[in-house]
Amino acid sequence: MPFLCLFFMLLFSRQGKLRLQKWYVPLSDKEKKKITRELVQTVLARKPKMCSFLEWRDLKIVYKRYASLYFCCAIEDQDNELITLEIIHRYVELLDKYFGSVCELDIIFNFEKAYFILDEFLLGGEAQETSKKNVLKAIEQADLLQEVRYSPR
Amino acid sequence: MALKIVKGSIDRMFDKNLQDLVRGIRNHKEDEAKYISTCIDEIKQELKQDNIAVKANAVCKLTYLQMLGYDVSWAAFNIVEVMSSSKFTYKRIGYLAASQCFHENTDVIMLTTNQIRKDLSSPNQYDTGVALTGLSCFVTPDLARDLANDIMTLMSHTKPYIRKKAVLIMYKVFLKYPESLRPAFPRLKEKLEDPDPGVQSAAVNVICELARRNPKNYLSLAPLFFKLMTSSTNNWVLIKIIKLFGALTPLEPRLGKKLIEPLTNLIHSTSAMSLLYECVNTVIAGQYSCSVGHIKSHLLCVQKLRILIEDSDQNLKYLGLLAMSKILKTHPKSVQSHKDLILQCLDDKDESIRLRALDLLYGMVSKKNLMEIVKKLMIHVDKAEGTTYRDELLTKIIDICSQSNYQYITNFEWYISILVELTRLEGTRHGHLIASQMLDVAIRVKAIRVFAVAQMATLLDNAHLLTGNMQRNGICEVLYAAAWICGEFSEHLENPVQTLEAMLRPKVATLPGHIQAVYVQNAAKLFATILKNQEGNTDSTAAQETSQMMIDRLPLFVQSANLEVQERASCILQLVKYIQKLQQKDVEVAEEVSALFAGELNPVAPKAQKKVPVPEGLDLDAWINEPPSESESEDEQPKAIFTKEEPKHSRPRHTEVDEKELARRREARKQEQANNPFYIKASPSSQKVYQEAPGVEHIPVVQIDLSVPLKVPGLPMSDQYVKLEEERRQKERAEKKKKEKKKRKEKRSGRGKKHDSGPESEEDITPAHVVDIVTEEMPEVAQEDQNRLPSPYLCRVKVCICMFCLCRPLADSEKLPVRSHRAAGAPKSSAEDGEAENATPQEPKKKSSKEKRDKKKDKERDRKVRLRCWKHFPPSGHKSDSRSTQSEGRTVVTFLVFPLPRKVCDIQGNLQDGSQVVVSVIFENKSDSFLKSMEFNVLDSLNSKLQRPEGSGPHDGLTVPFQLPPGVSNEARFVFTVQSIVMPQKLKGTLTFIVKNEDSSTHEKLDFKLHFTCTSYLITTPCYSDAFAKLLESGDLKSSSVRLEGVNMPFHHLLARICFHHHFSVVERIDSCASMYSRSIQGHHVCLLVKTSGQTVSIDAKCDEPTLLGNVLDEIKQTFSQC
């Protein structure tokens, strides 16, 4: 089994609608769907005051709710739950900075941007950049590149 | 130009972009599927157009639909098209789509190799970045092989942005294409010292993950990481490094010692909870347990965990408990002191925290606190809302009480009361669990039967409370146990008639069939007992009334729809009718009736059959009848094939055994059966009781403490037992103290050997009554757990990387495939020189096994020599001396045993410390194999005991806190408690260890003897001549003397020898006469006057302990006889 920081990250709404999914382990679509369905159910069934961790199969699930969105990650048994919470929080902060007080709709309508930010922050399940500033700078520059190439049209 | 733009925008106007799609989906909540299928049709149209912008837009929408769960694999080729667009905007979307939709089996991935390579070498860093990110999601073994070299080159890119990504993605490449690891590793190692912190932390990440898979290859990097750890301030990096060290320490125990300090510092200083938690976890998981530093850091961890658990943050609380449960496995005592806190957590509103706390409690119970803990749990059972948590509590209570064969239960009456209280739970699913516990306890603990029967009778009487509500029928399983216990042990019943009535109530017919069946059968047993009780009476009407009641009530069961009930009931009914007839003729029937149920039912282990020896001459595999002949018919062919194979299994028969041999074996068998608790004896005693009262003598008569009421009116209250138990223990303690006082008096008179017992310890608590727990082999449930099937999700990639040694020079075949026009990129391994020692020369296998045998023999011989030689070395010089002995030895493991009572140096005359002796053992591995899991164990004598960590049993071995690679030696210290030091002593011991070779491992054992001589209890103590004279004058000392003949050495050599070997110091020397002094760890003075004339040496000695003195003199004599 490959050791990874994260196995996957899922974002879903209170109604159980998937808003974003990133898988760092190769799984078939069928398996992904099954896991997603099961996890969304399990996490939504938990009471609001409960702790953010649960043991699920042989993984540990770390989740946190921000407004109407649940951020949910899977890590391995030996991994650090608190740093995973930190990763989730960091990502939320990044989204917040990028969109300016982010809300669920921002992520729905600009879901590709949300992915780009995530990809600049995490790579292959590992945190690649711990500085928020650097992540945002990279995204802005890439966006700029996009704009520049747009303009001739 | 303008027209073109207009045309383009008109085109675009008709297309839906992503936002439109999302909005559309939100507006079509009712017919979402239908709406999306039209959208997919549109997308298919768009994909057919040449315009790359349109295509990219379509692909973007597809990515969204994929997330919603729609299959988009049909568009894989279009995604590749968008990926290869030269415009960054579209390329970005293409790669995103690919990373979301592609997986290993997507066949178009093959087509992307060249495109990706082009992007990787693009001058635009964002093109490269996007390609790397995408690759991290869909890299296949083929892609990894083809692109490994390109990515490796990128690890030295000028931009840290690219370097960082390249380093991280290298890990994925290693997983998919393990051959790339060796050539890439040197460069990866370089990145640990990259000027950019991001790149550095990426390299740390990758190496940590690699090292966790195969730590052995990364041991050589430990110093580098150690430096990083003490210098880095980045918590993310620190966590990774600590994790890495966690993987390395089991292989290199010295690392553990070194780590303690920086880890403790971090624990003290950091404000980041995640880092603190990681440190604590690593310290807990560390395999080093003996050193003082570790115990300190361990305590610190427990303290910090307490703070976490006390925190209001649910997450910290949960993790604190989780880590505590890990400590519990190794240091149960340190957790037990936080019982209050953990019990508090049972009140938490978060169920997951409560469950964690419950898990902890399971390991925390002891004989002392079991009742208290269970009492708390019972309160929670009453309070708990929601049946799942309550059921969890119930099973935990039973688990806690029944664990390791009821080890912690001191009072079974209390336990029965608890079980009875649990039956009052509404709607639990675990009635059967309670029932099986009741049965188990009643059958196996003979002493409890009287009490259990009384309780069960009450339960049966109040059965309507349990069954009143049909929804609560889970609990009625308990009645099954109650009825059976009352029937089987009916001789203990206070009022059997009343119980019989209770069992035959019409209401019983509403119970499940299998319970009714038990009721009917046990009613018959009860009936038999009642008859016997009443037969003695002159008035026979009572007996007849009972029969009449049976005849009246049983027909209800005869009509039962359940076959089992019906059959039993009608059978018993006829029997009772017949008995009634006999009774009317005044025939005594009781004995005949009770004979129906005579004999005791013994518990039998599930595996008991295995223990029954197969009788001589019985071949279980042989055919009883000849198998049908093969020629009988054609269609029996398959059977014939089967029988053909049979003879293979049959064992050779023993036909010729002479009479004597048979008799001998029979005798042996009888012996074995007699000793075998599982063998149901065929001796007359259990067929028995036809004439006598049934089994009265066979019930062990046990003195039950009369302070416990035998019959509790109504349902019992377990609480009262807690109090009673407390009182009982106090009484016992008082008695014990009395005894001890007596003993101490004896001791003062010089004979007492038993050690003082401090405050109440585990062993002091004796069970309330002598309980005869019939042990049986428990089914191996634990193993089933281990065999748990791996989840199908997480065992996908089983590539075996790092199985080779990283420091071997690269073979040609291992170099990365490189496109022909490039220069071969595999650089020379820079790690070569640093790690060269690591490469273990491979030895031919055959040799080793033979050698081992030889070595074993040597071991025996050598050990004796070595164990004897310890006494020739004084404490201060032991290190160098041990080395010199190593050179002579050829043993696999060298022992150098060495008692040095160093503690006494500080606290002289203190009796507490005067009883401790530290034994240093040097283990040297002289074999070529790796030795691990060494366990040091000594058979304690009355006088000397090995100090074992708290919580371990008196026969447990101590784990030696290190492993031994070939040729390495290390020292371990063991503390012994010695009661009396006046006599020399030998302790037998065993060292067990695992010898690990390249491809196999064996478990080996080494027996040894520890020789505690009286000399070893002496400490060199300087003494001035005036003090010496006073001592001699005092007259408290007994004297003794010895003469040594033929000592051929100068006088000062002789003195030096005595000083050296026997820890004496010279007080005064005048010519050929010298006075010497030494002192024992318990403060005995030993004075010598040594005189020499020619070859004769006379030693006059005085000591306040004559036995000690005699032994010391004997030892001195021996020293000189050897030379």
Side-chain angles (χ1 to χ4, degrees):
Chain A
M1 176 196 292
F3 293 103
L4 286 169
C5 201
L6 298 185
F7 283 84
F8 52 79
M9 185 186 256
L10 301 176
L11 264 67
F12 51 86
S13 68
R14 257 165 63 197
Q15 290 76 36
K17 285 245 178 352
L18 195 60
R19 292 303 177 211
L20 191 137
Q21 55 170 348
K22 192 81 194 177
W23 298 81
Y24 297 109
V25 283
L27 293 176
S28 75
D29 282 348
K30 212 174 128 198
E31 284 167 331
K32 284 180 188 172
K33 268 186 209 165
K34 197 171 159 222
I35 293 178
T36 312
R37 202 171 45 237
E38 232 175 272
L39 264 184
V40 168
Q41 267 176 13
T42 325
V43 170
L44 287 179
R46 283 173 70 90
K47 297 199 183 77
K49 287 284 173 181
M50 286 172 108
C51 70
S52 301
F53 318 119
L54 58 122
E55 274 165 21
W56 181 80
R57 304 200 182 168
D58 42 6
L59 295 182
K60 290 197 285 200
I61 303 296
V62 178
Y63 72 92
K64 190 153 169 88
R65 187 178 147 180
Y66 288 87
S68 58
L69 269 187
Y70 283 88
F71 290 69
C72 173
C73 292
I75 54 173
E76 215 204 339
D77 186 43
Q78 302 155 2
D79 279 324
N80 192 322
E81 292 94 336
L82 290 173
I83 202 75
T84 314
L85 268 186
E86 179 80 31
I87 285 177
I88 292 178
H89 187 69
R90 200 51 82 88
Y91 180 48
V92 173
E93 280 181 334
L94 285 169
L95 290 173
D96 204 47
K97 278 256 169 61
Y98 183 83
F99 289 109
S101 83
V102 66
C103 66
E104 194 185 337
L105 281 183
D106 285 322
I107 295 173
I108 297 174
F109 283 110
N110 302 291
F111 88 116
E112 84 278 17
K113 298 283 189 206
Y115 275 118
F116 293 149
I117 296 171
L118 186 62
D119 285 341
E120 282 302 327
F121 177 44
L122 299 174
L123 193 137
E126 296 279 351
Q128 62 163 317
E129 183 55 70
T130 54
S131 142
K132 269 179 275 180
K133 220 176 70 193
N134 285 355
V135 176
L136 288 174
K137 209 174 81 191
I139 289 288
E140 271 160 27
Q141 301 225 312
D143 279 351
L144 211 62
L145 203 62
Q146 196 165 328
E147 303 304 322
V148 169
R149 301 242 176 128
Y150 261 135
S151 52
R153 277 188 61 197
Chain B
M1 184 69 195
L3 186 68
K4 214 176 173 184
I5 291 172
V6 170
K7 194 169 173 279
S9 58
I10 287 173
D11 274 351
R12 301 293 309 262
M13 259 166 61
F14 294 112
D15 295 343
K16 276 198 194 86
N17 65 10
L18 179 66
Q19 271 77 8
D20 298 330
L21 176 75
V22 173
R23 219 166 278 135
I25 293 173
R26 290 169 72 84
N27 290 337
H28 289 78
K29 284 219 168 85
E30 269 86 66
D31 50 348
E32 193 186 289
K34 198 178 151 207
Y35 177 75
I36 287 177
S37 75
T38 57
C39 287
I40 288 181
D41 286 340
E42 281 168 24
I43 290 169
K44 280 184 177 157
Q45 290 305 316
E46 285 164 26
L47 287 174
K48 280 181 188 148
Q49 293 186 31
D50 283 335
N51 189 335
I52 191 70
V54 177
K55 267 188 191 164
N57 184 41
V59 163
C60 191
K61 286 191 278 184
L62 278 178
T63 317
Y64 188 80
L65 293 178
Q66 191 266 346
M67 183 171 71
L68 296 185
Y70 292 89
D71 176 40
V72 296
S73 54
W74 49 269
F77 186 76
N78 302 103
I79 293 174
V80 175
E81 277 183 315
V82 178
M83 270 165 77
S84 36
S85 154
S86 59
K87 291 205 169 90
F88 177 69
T89 321
Y90 307 135
K91 191 187 290 300
R92 207 184 188 189
I93 287 169
Y95 271 104
L96 174 64
S99 64
Q100 293 299 103
C101 310
F102 286 4
H103 46 84
E104 281 203 3
N105 300 327
T106 310
D107 40 12
V108 291
I109 283 188
M110 287 186 310
L111 308 175
T112 59
T113 315
N114 277 315
Q115 177 60 41
I116 295 174
R117 181 173 281 136
K118 211 174 102 194
D119 288 334
L120 288 180
S121 53
S122 154
N124 182 335
Q125 63 165 330
Y126 293 103
D127 282 349
T128 317
V130 143
L132 284 172
T133 309
L135 200 54
S136 76
C137 291
F138 55 79
V139 61
T140 62
D142 285 341
L143 278 180
R145 189 194 57 228
D146 295 338
L147 297 172
N149 200 49
D150 302 76
I151 299 171
M152 208 169 83
T153 324
L154 289 179
M155 278 163 68
S156 311
H157 199 271
T158 49
K159 297 252 171 52
Y161 178 79
I162 299 297
R163 288 208 299 274
K164 181 176 73 187
K165 284 182 194 275
V167 168
L168 279 178
I169 203 167
M170 221 44 211
Y171 177 62
K172 293 267 172 179
V173 174
F174 295 153
L175 289 180
K176 298 285 174 189
Y177 180 58
E179 289 86 341
S180 60
L181 178 59
R182 261 172 50 70
F185 190 72
R187 196 171 291 190
L188 186 60
K189 206 176 134 194
E190 272 170 36
K191 294 296 139 199
L192 283 177
E193 284 158 314
D194 195 277
D196 183 86
V199 181
Q200 201 185 30
S201 84
V204 170
N205 269 357
V206 172
I207 292 183
C208 282
E209 296 306 332
L210 287 172
R212 280 164 74 185
R213 298 174 65 94
N214 186 2
K216 209 173 79 199
N217 283 339
Y218 301 89
L219 263 179
S220 61
L221 293 178
L224 187 61
F225 275 108
F226 198 80
K227 207 177 80 194
L228 268 176
M229 177 170 146
T230 40
S231 61
S232 175
T233 52
N234 183 335
N235 288 344
W236 302 71
V237 174
L238 280 174
I239 286 177
K240 280 283 172 185
I241 295 178
I242 290 168
K243 198 156 258 154
L244 170 87
F245 277 126
L248 293 184
T249 32
L251 297 181
E252 178 51 274
R254 280 175 296 178
L255 209 55
K257 271 184 205 160
K258 232 182 146 189
L259 274 175
I260 285 176
E261 203 205 322
L263 280 182
T264 343
N265 288 347
L266 276 176
I267 291 177
H268 275 302
S269 62
T270 183
S271 59
M273 280 299 172
S274 49
L275 182 57
L276 174 78
Y277 181 62
E278 191 68 49
C279 292
V280 168
N281 259 337
T282 311
V283 172
I284 294 170
Q287 297 195 331
Y288 26 91
S289 57
C290 268
S291 70
V292 181
H294 184 257
I295 290 166
K296 260 191 211 155
S297 59
H298 210 98
L299 281 177
L300 179 69
C301 287
V302 177
Q303 269 171 26
K304 286 282 175 185
L305 286 181
R306 192 182 166 101
I307 296 172
L308 287 192
I309 297 175
E310 279 168 344
D311 201 289
S312 59
D313 185 344
Q314 299 293 87
N315 292 337
L316 297 183
K317 212 183 261 283
Y318 178 87
L319 294 179
L321 290 171
L322 194 68
M324 275 283 193
S325 64
K326 285 179 197 154
I327 296 190
L328 188 69
K329 284 175 200 139
T330 52
H331 296 72
K333 274 278 152 62
S334 47
V335 180
Q336 271 163 18
S337 54
H338 299 284
K339 198 180 69 203
D340 56 317
L341 187 63
I342 288 155
L343 282 172
Q344 227 174 301
C345 289
L346 285 180
D347 291 321
D348 202 283
K349 49 192 179 299
D350 184 346
E351 192 175 304
S352 45
I353 287 178
R354 290 199 301 256
L355 290 176
R356 279 272 152 245
L358 269 184
D359 280 348
L360 268 171
L361 282 181
Y362 178 78
M364 278 172 58
V365 287
S366 65
K367 281 181 182 168
K368 236 192 289 179
N369 62 18
L370 175 74
M371 286 187 168
E372 189 195 334
I373 288 183
V374 172
K375 189 180 157 192
K376 290 255 169 67
L377 291 180
M378 291 298 286
I379 295 172
H380 283 284
V381 170
D382 286 340
K383 281 196 295 188
E385 71 249 348
T387 45
T388 37
Y389 178 61
R390 209 181 48 190
D391 280 359
E392 187 67 30
L393 270 169
L394 189 151
T395 42
K396 263 284 152 14
I397 290 176
I398 289 180
D399 275 358
I400 286 176
C401 291
S402 63
Q403 67 176 311
S404 34
N405 214 3
Y406 306 104
Q407 191 192 345
Y408 300 115
I409 294 186
T410 50
N411 188 334
F412 277 91
E413 290 182 8
W414 164 81
Y415 186 44
I416 293 273
S417 324
I418 288 285
L419 289 175
V420 173
E421 271 179 48
L422 285 175
T423 61
R424 284 186 245 150
L425 281 189
E426 280 187 43
T428 178
R429 286 179 294 112
H430 292 300
H432 61 97
L433 199 62
I434 304 175
S436 69
Q437 283 289 298
M438 285 174 170
L439 285 172
D440 198 38
V441 171
I443 295 170
R444 289 170 63 196
V445 186
K446 287 184 181 157
I448 199 66
R449 284 179 193 164
V450 177
F451 181 78
V453 166
Q455 292 302 327
M456 294 304 125
T458 329
L459 257 186
L460 287 180
D461 244 0
N462 298 314
H464 56 281
L465 291 178
L466 299 177
T467 52
N469 186 344
M470 273 318 274
Q471 281 165 350
R472 296 153 69 177
N473 56 11
I475 204 69
C476 59
E477 287 292 324
V478 171
L479 295 175
Y480 177 102
W484 190 86
I485 291 171
C486 282
E488 183 63 26
F489 307 118
S490 51
E491 64 269 20
H492 301 303
L493 270 177
E494 193 96 315
N495 190 348
V497 182
Q498 191 191 340
T499 311
L500 183 63
E501 249 183 73
M503 282 168 75
L504 293 173
R505 278 183 204 143
K507 193 103 205 245
V508 173
T510 57
L511 291 172
H514 67 286
I515 298 178
Q516 282 186 55
V518 170
Y519 263 68
V520 171
Q521 183 74 13
N522 284 285
K525 287 185 200 168
L526 261 179
F527 176 62
T529 317
I530 294 170
L531 278 190
K532 217 163 67 192
N533 291 347
Q534 292 173 339
E535 199 123 278
N537 298 354
T538 43
D539 184 17
S540 64
T541 46
Q544 290 190 17
E545 269 170 29
T546 320
S547 309
Q548 192 53 48
M549 182 175 75
M550 291 284 279
I551 293 170
D552 289 346
R553 300 277 180 88
L554 278 173
L556 177 69
F557 297 102
V558 177
Q559 295 159 7
S560 168
N562 186 300
L563 275 184
E564 178 87 16
V565 180
Q566 201 187 81
E567 197 177 353
R568 281 172 197 254
S570 56
C571 183
I572 290 168
L573 181 61
Q574 289 314 311
L575 189 72
V576 176
K577 278 184 180 163
Y578 179 67
I579 290 168
Q580 197 185 29
K581 247 186 233 166
L582 289 176
Q583 277 176 329
Q584 281 158 358
K585 290 181 200 158
D586 273 340
V587 182
E588 299 222 329
V589 284
E591 269 170 18
E592 268 92 353
V593 177
S594 44
L596 285 173
F597 309 107
E600 198 177 336
L601 290 176
N602 285 317
V604 175
K607 288 194 288 184
Q609 182 63 44
K610 263 192 225 161
K611 304 227 167 185
V612 180
V614 180
E616 215 54 59
L618 172 65
D619 188 344
L620 289 175
D621 296 324
W623 288 90
I624 296 173
N625 297 316
E626 277 308 305
S629 67
E630 286 172 44
S631 58
E632 255 178 54
S633 72
E634 279 293 297
D635 45 21
E636 272 184 43
Q637 199 55 31
K639 212 175 176 186
I641 290 169
F642 182 64
T643 54
K644 248 185 209 165
E645 286 176 350
E646 270 320 290
K648 259 191 237 164
H649 303 293
S650 68
R651 286 180 228 147
R653 292 196 191 189
H654 312 278
T655 42
E656 291 176 47
V657 187
D658 60 323
E659 270 303 294
K660 250 189 188 171
E661 174 67 9
L662 271 179
R664 194 188 59 75
R665 285 187 193 170
R666 209 173 292 133
E667 199 48 50
R669 199 160 61 236
K670 263 189 197 156
Q671 202 66 36
E672 195 184 331
Q673 285 167 3
N675 294 335
N676 189 342
F678 306 114
Y679 194 84
I680 299 167
K681 292 172 202 85
S683 57
S685 68
S686 63
Q687 286 178 339
K688 68 166 182 179
V689 272
Y690 208 64
Q691 299 93 344
E692 11 172 50
V696 169
E697 299 131 321
H698 301 277
I699 302 155
V701 183
V702 173
Q703 282 297 320
I704 290 176
D705 201 270
L706 283 178
S707 59
V708 181
L710 283 185
K711 193 186 164 204
V712 183
L715 291 173
M717 285 302 297
S718 58
D719 285 359
Q720 65 200 53
Y721 288 99
V722 181
K723 225 175 168 185
L724 286 170
E725 181 72 10
E726 198 48 50
E727 282 166 15
R728 188 180 66 81
R729 279 184 198 168
Q730 249 164 18
K731 229 198 290 173
E732 243 163 46
R733 234 174 288 156
E735 262 168 46
K736 207 166 233 174
K737 259 185 201 160
K738 257 190 225 161
K739 268 188 209 161
E740 230 138 66
K741 258 186 201 162
K742 251 190 217 164
K743 263 185 198 157
R744 235 174 268 167
K745 268 181 204 161
E746 277 171 39
K747 201 178 180 183
R748 253 176 237 154
S749 65
R751 282 191 11 226
K753 273 198 173 172
K754 191 139 191 195
H755 65 277
D756 307 9
S757 61
E760 185 183 31
S761 67
E762 265 301 285
E763 284 89 278
D764 289 343
I765 303 173
T766 50
H769 26 243
V770 186
V771 169
D772 170 25
I773 299 183
V774 185
T775 44
E776 49 175 304
E777 275 170 275
M778 293 293 170
E780 291 159 13
V781 188
Q783 282 194 354
E784 279 168 33
D785 259 346
Q786 287 168 356
N787 296 341
R788 194 164 48 117
L789 292 173
S791 96
Y793 299 92
L794 304 163
C795 46
R796 310 122 278 158
V797 214
K798 275 208 177 149
V799 260
C800 198
I801 66 167
C802 325
M803 283 308 285
F804 37 81
C805 186
L806 282 173
C807 44
R808 210 160 23 99
L810 286 178
D812 281 345
S813 60
E814 285 174 337
K815 284 179 184 153
L816 291 181
V818 176
R819 283 208 295 175
S820 54
H821 66 270
R822 290 203 192 178
K828 221 176 145 194
S829 164
S830 66
E832 239 170 303
D833 42 1
E835 295 168 335
E837 308 101 325
N838 260 10
T840 42
Q842 295 202 343
E843 280 212 349
K845 244 186 275 165
K846 271 185 198 164
K847 208 176 152 193
S848 62
S849 67
K850 205 180 161 195
E851 255 176 11
K852 213 190 274 165
R853 228 177 300 131
D854 294 346
K855 275 176 186 165
K856 249 191 179 165
K857 274 184 202 158
D858 281 356
K859 232 174 351 189
E860 296 287 334
R861 219 180 308 127
D862 240 315
R863 205 183 314 126
K864 275 177 201 151
V865 178
R866 217 143 299 279
L867 282 170
R868 232 184 291 127
C869 60
W870 61 263
K871 56 185 169 193
H872 301 295
F873 307 122
S876 55
H878 70 276
K879 274 214 169 126
S880 55
D881 285 318
S882 67
R883 221 164 285 142
S884 69
T885 49
Q886 284 160 20
S887 54
E888 345 158 344
R890 291 169 319 206
T891 46
V892 176
V893 181
T894 311
F895 272 178
L896 193 65
V897 184
F898 211 117
L900 61 172
R902 34 177 72 170
K903 274 216 157 169
V904 197
C905 301
D906 317 324
I907 322 154
Q908 272 184 353
N910 185 336
L911 264 163
Q912 280 297 310
D913 276 293
S915 60
Q916 276 198 351
V917 174
V918 179
V919 176
S920 297
V921 184
I922 291 177
F923 298 86
E924 192 193 4
N925 181 2
K926 294 225 151 190
S927 69
D928 296 318
S929 318
F930 191 85
L931 301 187
K932 58 178 228 176
S933 305
M934 291 191 279
E935 256 199 19
F936 180 89
N937 200 1
V938 170
L939 204 62
D940 287 350
S941 70
L942 270 176
N943 190 28
S944 318
K945 288 188 171 62
L946 176 60
Q947 278 199 358
R948 296 173 166 88
E950 288 175 296
S952 56
H955 306 295
D956 294 352
L958 284 183
T959 315
V960 179
F962 46 78
Q963 304 178 328
L964 284 181
V968 172
S969 68
N970 205 340
E971 179 193 7
R973 298 220 173 109
F974 302 96
V975 181
F976 284 80
T977 332
V978 182
Q979 289 298 314
S980 154
I981 59 158
V982 299
M983 301 271 273
Q985 200 169 15
K986 278 181 188 159
L987 287 186
K988 274 187 192 168
T990 335
L991 181 79
T992 54
F993 50 91
I994 292 173
V995 182
K996 216 175 135 196
N997 288 318
E998 290 284 317
D999 46 5
S1000 70
S1001 62
T1002 52
H1003 208 257
E1004 294 277 8
K1005 197 178 112 180
L1006 199 65
D1007 288 314
F1008 59 87
K1009 269 184 194 161
L1010 284 178
H1011 196 172
F1012 287 79
T1013 58
C1014 283
T1015 301
S1016 55
Y1017 302 127
L1018 298 182
I1019 335 151
T1020 320
T1021 321
C1023 184
Y1024 294 108
S1025 54
D1026 45 355
F1028 189 74
K1030 249 183 210 161
L1031 198 63
L1032 288 178
E1033 278 165 25
S1034 68
D1036 293 334
L1037 306 181
K1038 316 270 182 308
S1039 63
S1040 174
S1041 61
V1042 69
R1043 281 173 85 82
L1044 306 171
E1045 301 287 348
V1047 179
N1048 204 359
M1049 60 171 77
F1051 190 55
H1052 67 273
H1053 279 189
L1054 181 126
L1055 292 184
R1057 196 168 265 246
I1058 295 176
C1059 289
F1060 184 73
H1061 293 322
H1062 298 284
H1063 314 168
F1064 277 88
S1065 62
V1066 178
V1067 181
E1068 216 171 11
R1069 183 189 161 186
I1070 308 155
D1071 298 326
S1072 59
C1073 187
S1075 51
M1076 303 179 90
Y1077 175 76
S1078 183
R1079 197 176 161 160
S1080 81
I1081 56 169
Q1082 292 182 354
H1084 305 289
H1085 305 282
V1086 187
C1087 309
L1088 301 183
L1089 186 68
V1090 188
K1091 285 182 226 158
T1092 179
S1093 58
Q1095 293 205 339
T1096 315
V1097 178
S1098 71
I1099 303 175
D1100 292 306
K1102 281 193 170 183
C1103 174
D1104 40 12
E1105 178 56 65
T1107 331
L1108 175 69
L1109 182 62
N1111 288 317
V1112 170
L1113 287 181
D1114 283 349
E1115 281 163 28
I1116 293 178
K1117 207 169 165 184
Q1118 210 176 357
T1119 313
F1120 286 94
S1121 66
Q1122 277 165 6
C1123 58

